Amino acid sequence: MAEEEKLVFWGVTPPGEFLEEKLEEMGMDVVEFANRIGYTPKTVNELLKGKCAVTTEMAFNLEYVTGISVAFWMNAQRGYEEELIRQRIKETVNDAPLWRSDFPLPELNPRNWIEDLNNKEDNVSPILRFFRVSSPKAWENYYFNATLKTAFRISLAEAQDPYAASVWLRRGEILAEAIPMEKQDEKKLRSAIKKALPQFIELAKKYGDQSTMGEPGEIDEGMQALHEFGLTLGIKILYVQNFKSAPIHGMSRWYRHIPVIQLHDRFKDRRAFWFTFFHELSHIILHGKKDIFIKNMYHGNKNPQKEEEADMFAQKCMADAGLIMDAKLKKFVNV
């Protein structure tokens, strides 16, 4: 078999099979080859059966004896090892289709957040890549067990729909990662936000009188203005459509040393959008860098005192912006 043809099989064929064909082509048996290359017949047999990996030194020796390049042998070994690992990963996610089915797929499909979500050959790996985890178990460890608790002192295990909530959180991370920004000093940033509060209130006054917002995913003029002004201060204000089973209104946290406010991208009442924004902004100003605050979702570490402080802050900002807190909106406050 020509060397060019063999390249097609690198991902599935151990290097020993190539060597076996080459020895047959050269009319050389195992003993003669072993003597020529300086290995024992046992080592050569193990290499032929795929039980012995091709090292860099062995690849050079193989080139001298067979005339086939070092690069070929090294690439053949690497491709074979990649395929072995890929097969092992597939074996460890035998129950992954069940795990996959727990996500809100009917709502996810039209959003195009997860590339190749419905890959017929392997529709689990796209979800793993989206979350940047190696397995469903790793996803569980991050969102249910120790990792998220260590980073933000919360767990999604007690959420109404932790799968949908995790997608919403991760989507915000992806959007945040796409915006380059220097790490922020917590004390300086809080001071800057306090000074800029009148400008935030002016934005609310200008854009907060509309009764409804646009379609999901639609960023209107007011949302864009808020986003851009936040960037000038060192805050990433992001918009992510929530899910029916996880109707999160907003979230605030420090992500990679940068404050992030993530808001649902459509509210039935525009005032609810601005109230939620000021509520989350207050958490950045008043509360700890290690905290995460998620409005309208229980996450195991809800702090009633801090939430009440955020509500009071938001109500004052709404009043200053001339946005009336009627009975309908006050009911929303207590959600």
Side-chain angles (χ1 to χ4, degrees), residues 49-332:
K49 295 176 182 178
K51 296 181 179 180
C52 175
V54 175
T55 64
T56 304
E57 180 182 352
M58 184 180 288
F60 275 94
N61 293 334
L62 286 168
E63 180 184 72
Y64 295 145
V65 180
T66 66
I68 299 175
S69 70
V70 171
F72 174 86
W73 295 111
M74 294 300 294
N75 286 330
Q77 181 63 41
R78 185 180 67 250
Y80 178 57
E81 290 176 355
E82 287 176 359
E83 181 60 23
L84 288 180
I85 293 172
R86 189 173 289 110
Q87 293 299 327
R88 290 192 193 113
I89 291 174
K90 287 183 179 180
E91 291 174 5
T92 63
V93 294
N94 285 335
D95 294 330
L98 296 176
W99 172 75
R100 180 184 189 275
S101 67
D102 286 324
F103 290 96
L105 299 177
E107 291 181 81
L108 262 177
N109 277 321
R111 300 188 189 186
N112 297 317
W113 290 358
I114 302 179
E115 185 179 353
D116 210 18
L117 176 61
N118 296 309
N119 184 326
K120 293 182 180 179
E121 182 178 344
D122 176 10
N123 55 21
V124 173
S125 293
I127 299 178
L128 297 177
R129 293 191 186 97
F130 173 79
F131 284 106
R132 287 189 180 171
V133 295
S134 60
S135 67
K137 184 64 177 177
W139 176 89
E140 181 180 335
N141 285 339
Y142 187 87
Y143 289 99
F144 281 16
N145 301 325
T147 311
L148 198 61
K149 286 182 180 179
T150 300
F152 296 111
R153 298 196 280 269
I154 72 165
S155 167
L156 297 185
E158 299 178 64
Q160 178 182 343
D161 186 344
Y163 295 87
S166 68
V167 174
W168 192 82
L169 290 174
R170 177 60 189 146
R171 176 61 176 173
E173 291 175 351
I174 291 171
L175 294 178
E177 290 164 6
I179 303 172
M181 184 181 287
E182 296 292 329
K183 295 179 181 179
Q184 299 296 311
D185 178 271
E186 185 178 4
K187 184 177 289 188
K188 290 181 180 179
L189 185 89
R190 284 178 173 172
S191 176
I193 294 174
K194 289 177 183 177
K195 291 179 181 177
L197 191 57
Q199 291 166 272
F200 281 119
I201 291 171
E202 281 301 312
L203 287 174
K205 186 181 298 185
K206 181 177 180 180
Y207 296 106
D209 58 351
Q210 301 175 38
S211 60
T212 59
M213 303 187 72
E215 294 299 316
E218 180 184 335
I219 307 300
D220 62 27
E221 184 180 350
M223 296 165 74
Q224 185 64 27
L226 181 61
H227 168 77
E228 291 177 356
F229 183 57
L231 293 181
T232 65
L233 297 173
I235 314 173
K236 295 181 181 180
I237 302 171
L238 311 171
Y239 309 109
V240 180
Q241 182 184 1
N242 63 24
F243 296 92
K244 293 177 182 177
S245 58
I248 303 170
H249 295 158
M251 178 197 67
S252 57
R253 61 170 165 167
W254 284 73
Y255 181 66
R256 297 183 178 173
H257 306 285
I258 296 168
V260 173
I261 293 176
Q262 183 173 328
L263 303 170
H264 173 45
D265 68 358
R266 183 177 61 168
F267 287 82
K268 292 182 179 179
D269 189 322
R270 177 59 64 98
R271 295 171 305 161
F273 168 85
W274 284 99
F275 176 86
T276 303
F277 165 70
F278 285 122
H279 178 100
E280 301 304 334
L281 184 68
S282 74
H283 285 312
I284 300 295
I285 297 173
L286 302 175
H287 303 134
K289 189 176 180 180
K290 287 287 286 184
D291 285 321
I292 183 171
F293 299 92
I294 306 177
K295 186 167 175 53
N296 202 34
M297 189 194 82
Y298 181 74
H299 50 70
N301 192 39
K302 204 84 168 178
N303 189 310
Q305 181 180 344
K306 291 181 178 180
E307 293 299 332
E308 185 177 345
E309 290 173 354
D311 278 349
M312 291 177 63
F313 179 95
Q315 288 182 65
K316 184 180 185 308
C317 291
M318 294 288 283
D320 291 343
L323 300 176
I324 300 172
M325 295 289 295
D326 56 20
K328 182 179 178 181
L329 192 56
K330 286 181 179 179
K331 184 178 179 180
F332 169 86

